[in-house]
Amino acid sequence: MISQSELQIVLCAAGTILAALVLVLIVHVVYRGLPAGKAKESLKKIIYELDRHADDMENREKRAAAIQAVMDLLGWRRIVVPKVLVGWLIDAEVAAIRKIQQVTDTPDLHKEEV
């Protein structure tokens, strides 16, 4: 059975991930609505880094390194989480970023510069 403190950690992590994805959505929507200028360029840099992160997590080696980093961090706190679950969360995060790009019709800024 899950302890009260473990449940709080899970709920906090889920809330953090959800809040981050909502922030990503807001950044994309605001970017699409802004006229050209300094603010739009700043948001473009944020979107570029988000897209670069998503591209990195689609790379098997980088994804495996990220999973291991999360497992090491959780292991330090003696929290046992299956690697499959961590991998699924990373995949869900990448899928959400890609869906947000599609829904807001934001260009793939990272691939444009390659």
Side-chain angles (χ1 to χ4, degrees):
M1 179 154 208
I2 237 173
S3 71
Q4 186 70 17
S5 62
E6 289 173 339
L7 181 62
Q8 287 177 337
I9 290 170
V10 168
L11 291 176
C12 183
T16 301
I17 292 169
L18 182 62
L21 290 175
V22 167
L23 184 59
V24 168
L25 176 62
I26 290 169
V27 166
H28 279 80
V29 169
V30 170
Y31 173 80
R32 293 299 295 169
L34 281 177
K38 192 172 187 175
K40 189 164 187 161
E41 283 301 312
S42 296
L43 289 179
K44 185 176 183 177
K45 290 176 186 175
I46 293 170
I47 291 171
Y48 175 86
E49 290 302 321
L50 287 168
D51 187 51
R52 187 176 63 82
H53 169 70
D55 288 347
D56 286 348
M57 291 303 106
E58 288 175 339
N59 177 305
R60 289 185 148 220
E61 293 81 24
K62 292 180 181 180
R63 181 180 176 273
I67 290 172
Q68 190 58 49
V70 170
M71 296 303 294
D72 291 344
L73 179 67
L74 294 175
W76 175 75
R77 297 281 300 172
R78 291 182 174 53
I79 300 170
V80 179
V81 177
K83 282 187 176 184
V84 172
L85 181 59
V86 175
W88 181 82
L89 287 173
I90 289 173
D91 293 343
E93 174 191 16
V94 170
I97 290 171
R98 297 296 185 221
K99 186 67 173 176
I100 289 170
Q101 284 176 324
Q102 180 185 14
V103 168
T104 59
D105 196 29
T106 305
D108 192 342
L109 299 173
H110 190 250
K111 288 186 179 178
E112 282 183 355
E113 292 191 11
V114 172

